[in-house]
Amino acid sequence: MTTATAGAAAAPGPIPPPRKRATALGTRPWVAALFLLPALALLGALVVYPIGYSVYRSLFDASGHGFVGLDNYHEVFSDDRIRTALKNNVIWVIVAPSIATALGLVFAVLTERVRWGTAFKLVVFMPMAISMLAAGIIFRLVYEQSPDKGVANAVWVSVHDTFAEPAPFPGAHPRPGGDLTAGGGGSYTTRSAARAGSPAGLPLVAVKPDDVSGARDAVAARPVPGKVTGTVWLDFIKGGGGTPGRLGPGKKALAGVTVQAVREGRTVASAKTGSDGTFTLPGKADGARLRLPGANFAARYNGVEWLGPSLVTPSIIGAYIWMWAGFAMVLIAAGLAGVPRELLEAARVDGAGEWQVFRRVTVPLLAPVLGVVVITLMINVLKIFDLVYIIAPGSSLHNANVLALQLYQSSFGTDVNQGVGSAIAVFLLLLVLPVVVVNIRRMRRERRR
């Protein structure tokens, strides 16, 4: 009896369930809500509400009272200005991130091999410290058409003039009613034929003062037996004086002018004037007409119209790359610092050249970083606005148009239609979303590794 009682008393009771670990979300949800409330309020006020209102506003007309459905979206794809903006955005998304990333990769790899790599990185990254407004003003000056003001054209004209000799007296021409008459291609030809032993006079006017600064006074050519001689001079004296069409004191020689002897449409002889303005042609020029080719008077090469309709978008993209190549370089250099050097050395030991190591080892290992850079720049260029607005002149603004700029013009410009502007905003959001989703998925895959 005692044994049974003892056994019964010793029998274990029911095991209590394990106690749940206390969590803020499980036991005190109001604490979590209290912490999340400010962030959610800001997110709703600054992101969710503007997106929702933009979608709502895009369904109404310019006044905001008449419901038009999807008509504003139809206008987005039918308006020429907006279609130009969409085309330019495609160019931006393809070209700008690709070139900036490629330059950043090249800079990051090359600066690892030089002593002054840090200084070079600092110089390349420095434009990132400049605002888009300041960069736009800088490049507006860089792309000035006049070579005296614009750096780009100053360099371009210098290179051009190195290989192509400029005209000695651009814009010069003879006096009306003289012996020289206008011909094709800006040339001038004498009415009368040249004669050996009888010097010819070829006076010109409208020569720029800078082109004859320091020039000698012209002298009358001496007759040479069996040869045609003559003088080319500036038929104008500063302050007045002299007889038009005749040489005299104070009339400057035009040196370096090409003079041709033409017979039956063919050039039979050619010469250039000397420092005193005189020229001498061989005997076969006797009886031929004298011609001053148009190359003597062609306008000086004024460079490229960087901000013209055809080049304005590539020029602005160049300014963007100048700013953001440093950003790409810094990120890629940080990724390159984490690449195992053993892999690179093993590839070199196996006989791979530097180009093969770069293409088959370095670039694949940097693929995640390159993806980050490209996606970041793609998101950035989809909303590019200020650089285009500042650099592009009014005459080329339509050709440089992008969606963000058109959004501003439709919403706040001269022809205000906030319904169309809201439709552009929604469309721009839809363009950005796929890039953002790809970026989020990539980040999640990186976390799982």
Side-chain angles (χ1 to χ4, degrees):
M1 187 70 178
T2 304
T3 305
T5 304
I15 300 174
R19 297 180 64 183
K20 294 182 178 179
R21 181 177 297 178
T23 61
L25 188 60
T27 60
R28 290 174 292 178
W30 61 271
V31 175
L34 188 62
F35 277 100
L36 291 176
L37 186 59
L40 292 175
L42 287 175
L43 185 67
L46 301 180
V47 178
V48 178
Y49 173 74
I51 292 175
Y53 183 76
S54 296
V55 174
Y56 169 80
R57 185 65 179 82
S58 68
L59 303 176
F60 289 81
D61 60 8
S63 66
H65 301 294
F67 181 80
V68 295
L70 299 178
D71 288 353
N72 289 326
Y73 292 93
H74 178 266
E75 185 172 346
V76 168
F77 293 100
S78 59
D79 187 270
D80 288 338
R81 297 175 303 168
I82 303 177
R83 284 191 294 184
T84 300
L86 180 59
K87 180 194 72 174
N88 287 336
N89 265 99
V90 172
I91 295 173
W92 271 91
V93 169
I94 294 175
V95 175
S98 304
I99 297 179
T101 304
L103 285 177
L105 177 61
V106 171
F107 291 157
V109 172
L110 293 182
T111 49
E112 278 202 331
R113 300 175 175 271
V114 294
R115 292 182 179 178
W116 41 269
T118 303
F120 180 82
K121 289 178 182 178
L122 180 64
V123 172
V124 175
F125 186 74
M126 194 176 295
M128 282 294 299
I130 302 175
S131 68
M132 285 282 192
L133 173 64
I137 295 173
I138 290 171
F139 274 87
R140 183 64 183 268
L141 297 175
V142 168
Y143 291 135
E144 275 283 349
Q145 181 65 43
S146 172
D148 297 330
K149 298 179 180 179
V151 176
N153 267 339
V155 174
W156 191 266
V157 169
S158 298
V159 173
H160 175 273
D161 290 347
T162 301
F163 299 97
E165 186 177 355
F169 302 104
H173 58 79
R175 289 185 183 275
D179 191 38
L180 287 167
T181 59
S187 63
Y188 298 97
T189 307
T190 58
R191 291 187 177 92
S192 58
R195 296 297 177 186
S198 179
L202 303 176
L204 298 174
V205 294
V207 177
K208 297 178 181 178
D210 290 343
D211 293 336
V212 290
S213 59
R216 297 170 51 183
D217 284 353
V219 299
R222 296 179 179 180
V224 178
K227 294 186 178 181
V228 173
T229 59
T231 305
V232 182
W233 74 89
L234 173 59
D235 196 20
F236 173 81
I237 298 176
K238 187 176 181 180
T243 303
R246 291 187 180 181
L247 271 173
K251 294 191 176 181
K252 300 298 182 180
L254 301 182
V257 177
T258 300
V259 182
Q260 297 175 339
V262 182
R263 181 181 287 112
E264 297 178 356
R266 293 185 303 105
T267 301
V268 295
S270 178
K272 278 192 175 184
T273 58
S275 59
D276 57 359
T278 62
F279 63 89
T280 302
L281 294 168
K284 56 185 175 181
D286 186 26
R289 297 177 185 271
L290 300 182
R291 179 172 65 187
L292 302 179
N296 291 315
F297 318 113
R300 294 194 187 278
Y301 182 68
N302 205 35
V304 177
E305 193 177 2
W306 299 103
L307 299 182
S310 59
L311 290 179
V312 62
T313 294
S315 298
I316 299 174
I317 290 176
Y320 178 88
I321 292 171
W322 175 76
M323 290 190 66
W324 286 86
F327 167 81
M329 178 195 66
V330 169
L331 290 188
I332 296 171
L336 192 60
V339 172
R341 302 301 169 185
E342 298 81 5
L343 297 178
L344 303 180
E345 294 301 327
R348 293 188 180 99
V349 170
D350 290 340
E354 290 300 322
W355 171 247
Q356 291 176 315
V357 172
F358 173 76
R359 186 166 58 93
R360 297 183 179 275
V361 181
T362 305
V363 172
L365 291 175
L366 289 175
V369 179
L370 297 176
V372 172
V373 174
V374 170
I375 291 174
T376 303
L377 293 180
M378 287 177 66
I379 296 173
N380 187 267
V381 299
L382 279 172
K383 56 183 183 179
I384 192 72
F385 162 76
D386 33 15
L387 206 60
V388 179
Y389 185 72
I390 296 167
I391 294 180
S395 58
S396 301
L397 194 60
H398 169 73
N399 303 93
N401 201 13
V402 290
L403 288 175
L405 178 59
Q406 184 59 45
L407 165 61
Y408 167 78
Q409 291 176 332
S410 297
S411 300
F412 309 105
T414 54
D415 188 16
V416 176
N417 187 338
Q418 293 190 353
V420 174
S422 299
I424 297 173
V426 174
F427 179 63
L428 194 56
L429 174 66
L430 295 177
L431 291 179
V432 173
L433 278 179
V435 183
V436 174
V437 170
V438 170
N439 197 27
I440 292 174
R441 288 182 176 179
R442 183 200 56 76
M443 292 173 63
R444 288 178 176 175
R445 286 197 301 267
E446 290 295 324
R447 289 176 183 175
R448 294 194 193 104
R449 293 179 179 177

